[in-house]
Amino acid sequence: MRAMISETPGGPESLRLMELPSRPLGKGQVRVAVHAAGVNFPDTLIIADKYQFKPPRPFAPGHEVAGDITEVGEGVGAYKVGDRVIGMIGHGGYATEVVTDEGQLLPMPRNMTYEDGAAFTMTYGTSYYALKQRSSYKPGETLLVTGASGGVGLTAVELGSLMGLKVIAAVGSDEKMDICRKYGATMFVNYAKERMRDKVKELTGGNGADIVYDAVGGDAFDEAVRCIAWYGRLLVIGFAAGRIPTLPANLALLKSCDVRGVFYGAWRGREPVEARKNFDELLTWYAQGKLKPHVSMRFPLEKGADAMNALLSRKATGKVVLTVA
């Protein structure tokens, strides 16, 4: 097998394409021939030892893969050789094959492509958990999404619209507005030209946003918390801007608002049954044509560093995917 390996902490250029022996199967495990792997912001953190989990080196990054089962281990009952699956594996996905527990897999809908499968689990899983379990949403409320054209941001726009929310997409260019419009946003902030707090208040008649979905942090968080509605809920998803912001406690007091953390990976581990229910609903919506991942860039496996840099430079919208021959 081949894999993009992290041997020492560093940026994308620290990855090396290496030939490795195939791992043996353990009880309850399967081998998946990878056809596509999703590229996500946490992948850039895990290779730099800046993520919540630090796998022992050497390892390949890559949380999500899509491919075909080529071998099943003892005790595997839910899958067989030849099944098309999505894998949520934590790390190891930047490779031609992976070995994983059968509980980390999902069956792919018949109409799902490998690229869509590799672009699905982390972003939709995070956004649906945030909106369904953490936001206390009510249809008709206003949802503000920062970094709305990015990987998780665009799925929050799409799901928020599907769930009956009025979506404000905060982005950095008019071109990114057009993408968000296609995914259900009806109101927009171009924070390269407008002050977010002023524009959101204008769009909401002075009320502010009932729910703020912030995966950006930094200045975007500072602005978003100042345009949240009374009894609003601010969902802390991540810090793509690099700066972890602080919240002046008086602002939470003045708005009687809540700040709610969204640690999707830990929740999925703690509540696997509920997480699987979420995915059953998401995959049904996909099969019905109600969801469609936006894959804007594709790279071959050996260009994994380029794929990560495209994500970090914010050149990509939606998802970046590695294709594996």
Side-chain angles (χ1 to χ4, degrees):
M1 63 170 286
R2 293 178 298 129
M4 293 295 290
I5 295 296
S6 172
E7 295 182 293
T8 58
E13 288 74 18
S14 66
L15 296 178
R16 291 179 55 208
L17 183 66
M18 299 178 65
E19 292 278 352
L20 301 168
S22 294
R23 284 177 52 198
L25 290 185
K27 187 175 182 180
Q29 292 189 321
V30 302
R31 190 182 315 279
V32 178
V34 177
H35 289 286
V39 179
N40 296 284
F41 183 67
D43 296 343
T44 70
L45 299 177
I46 202 169
I47 64 172
D49 281 355
K50 294 180 180 179
Y51 196 54
Q52 291 93 335
F53 304 119
K54 296 179 174 61
R57 285 188 167 82
F59 71 90
H63 170 82
E64 52 190 350
V65 298
D68 301 328
I69 293 179
T70 58
E71 188 181 358
V72 297
E74 179 188 353
V76 173
Y79 299 97
K80 64 183 184 302
V81 171
D83 285 348
R84 300 167 71 246
V85 292
I86 303 167
M88 301 174 289
I89 60 175
H91 64 277
Y94 292 13
T96 55
E97 67 174 44
V98 298
V99 170
T100 188
D101 296 341
E102 67 171 327
Q104 301 297 93
L105 300 178
L106 294 168
M108 288 176 61
R110 291 183 179 180
N111 63 335
M112 179 175 272
T113 66
Y114 292 116
E115 287 186 3
D116 281 0
F120 201 84
T121 59
M122 181 167 277
T123 52
Y124 283 101
T126 298
S127 291
Y128 198 37
Y129 165 56
L131 295 176
K132 180 184 176 184
Q133 274 87 13
R134 299 296 291 146
S135 78
S136 304
Y137 80 98
K138 302 177 186 66
E141 288 189 314
T142 300
L143 168 68
L144 169 64
V145 181
T146 65
S149 66
V152 289
L154 198 57
T155 59
V157 169
E158 187 180 16
L159 287 169
S161 176
L162 187 60
M163 294 163 73
L165 298 169
K166 296 180 289 188
V167 182
I168 304 173
V171 293
S173 72
D174 291 343
E175 292 78 11
K176 292 178 178 180
M177 284 185 189
D178 291 337
I179 293 168
C180 294
R181 184 177 289 108
K182 293 176 182 177
Y183 277 78
T186 57
M187 297 173 282
F188 305 90
V189 180
N190 183 343
Y191 44 67
K193 300 178 180 178
E194 305 164 304
R195 196 180 191 194
M196 190 189 300
R197 69 180 79 176
D198 296 334
K199 185 64 176 180
V200 170
K201 289 178 181 178
E202 174 191 327
L203 291 169
T204 59
N207 293 323
D210 300 297
I211 305 166
V212 175
Y213 178 107
D214 178 47
V216 178
D219 295 344
F221 178 97
D222 297 341
E223 283 293 296
V225 75
R226 286 168 172 80
C227 55
I228 195 169
W230 180 258
Y231 285 159
R233 287 84 71 199
L234 194 155
L235 307 178
V236 181
I237 312 297
F239 314 106
R243 177 173 67 85
I244 298 175
T246 56
L247 173 67
N250 66 306
L251 295 181
L253 182 152
L254 291 172
K255 297 294 184 75
S256 283
C257 66
D258 295 346
V259 179
R260 302 182 181 181
V262 179
F263 190 177
Y264 168 64
W267 174 76
R268 188 166 67 87
R270 287 170 177 264
E271 300 189 41
V273 174
E274 288 303 306
R276 181 56 190 260
K277 287 180 182 178
N278 277 15
F279 271 117
D280 288 343
E281 293 169 9
L282 290 167
L283 291 171
T284 297
W285 281 337
Y286 180 95
Q288 294 171 344
K290 295 179 180 179
L291 299 176
K292 176 63 177 174
H294 176 68
V295 179
S296 64
M297 291 187 178
R298 300 159 180 84
F299 296 83
L301 175 63
E302 61 269 21
K303 298 291 185 182
D306 292 343
M308 281 186 167
N309 282 324
L311 196 69
L312 290 171
S313 67
R314 302 188 187 180
K315 293 178 181 177
T317 55
K319 286 288 292 201
V320 177
V321 167
L322 294 180
T323 57
V324 183

